[in-house]
Amino acid sequence: MLAPVNHILPLTTIERERALPVAGNVVAKLNQKVSPTDVIAEATWAREHVLIDVARALSISSNAADRLLRVKEGDKVAEGSEIAISKGIIPHTIRAPRSGRVVAAGGGQVLMETGETTVELKAGLPGTVVQIVPYRGAVIRTVGALVQGTWVTGALKPAY
């Protein structure tokens, strides 16, 4: 099957936006020359989220659990630190299963981001930074050949 659209330009100006999947820090500067391996932006990304259901663990209502929380949104917590402590004759302590950051706390639950890693966005092509995309990346301009088209494998043929 032939592709319905294709473009072949032997010499043209190419602009590509390179962006992080989450908000981060753009390190490239406007009009900076970049190579494909240059880092233009970076962000901290949590690989995993952990939901701690304090109300269920303590067998109390969500409102009562909210009053017992010892953490709030944005707090960084170490593994084993106290998330909530129940009151009574025999107090129970809910502890953080891993180190991380509290994303949300309320409704009797605590949501944490754990396993942070740094994501680096590389330029991917040689050129000049012509626009900064705040907190995400940049637009890079270069000159080169452009071959653009559609590839159809025929895998979507109906089965009779």
Side-chain angles (χ1 to χ4, degrees):
M1 173 182 264
L2 294 176
V5 177
N6 60 36
H7 299 284
I8 300 171
L9 301 170
L11 186 61
T12 189
T13 300
I14 302 167
E15 286 189 1
R16 291 291 181 252
E17 181 177 312
R18 303 283 292 139
L20 289 166
V22 295
N25 180 36
V26 179
V27 295
K29 304 293 182 220
L30 200 57
N31 297 320
Q32 176 183 348
K33 301 269 187 210
V34 292
S35 69
T37 58
D38 289 346
V39 175
I40 60 170
E42 55 193 11
T44 302
W45 179 303
R47 294 180 299 200
E48 185 179 348
H49 288 82
V50 176
L51 181 65
I52 303 166
D53 194 343
V54 175
R56 178 176 278 177
L58 298 177
S59 299
I60 57 176
S61 71
S62 59
N63 289 336
D66 287 347
R67 290 190 294 272
L68 300 176
L69 293 180
R70 300 235 174 177
V71 295
K72 61 185 182 310
E73 186 176 326
D75 286 352
K76 292 200 178 216
V77 294
E79 183 176 345
S81 63
E82 297 173 343
I83 299 294
I85 299 176
S86 70
K87 298 174 182 172
I89 297 171
I90 304 172
H92 291 93
T93 303
I94 307 297
R95 298 190 180 276
R98 289 184 277 265
S99 297
R101 185 178 68 86
V102 176
V103 178
Q109 299 177 333
V110 175
L111 180 64
M112 291 178 49
E113 290 180 331
T114 63
E116 285 188 346
T117 186
T118 300
V119 177
E120 293 182 337
L121 176 66
K122 297 189 178 184
L125 69 155
T128 304
V129 175
V130 293
Q131 181 183 345
I132 300 294
V133 180
Y135 307 106
R136 291 293 181 164
V139 176
I140 301 171
R141 180 181 293 156
T142 191
V143 176
L146 179 68
V147 178
Q148 192 170 315
T150 307
W151 177 16
V152 179
T153 64
L156 299 176
K157 290 182 182 177
Y160 294 107

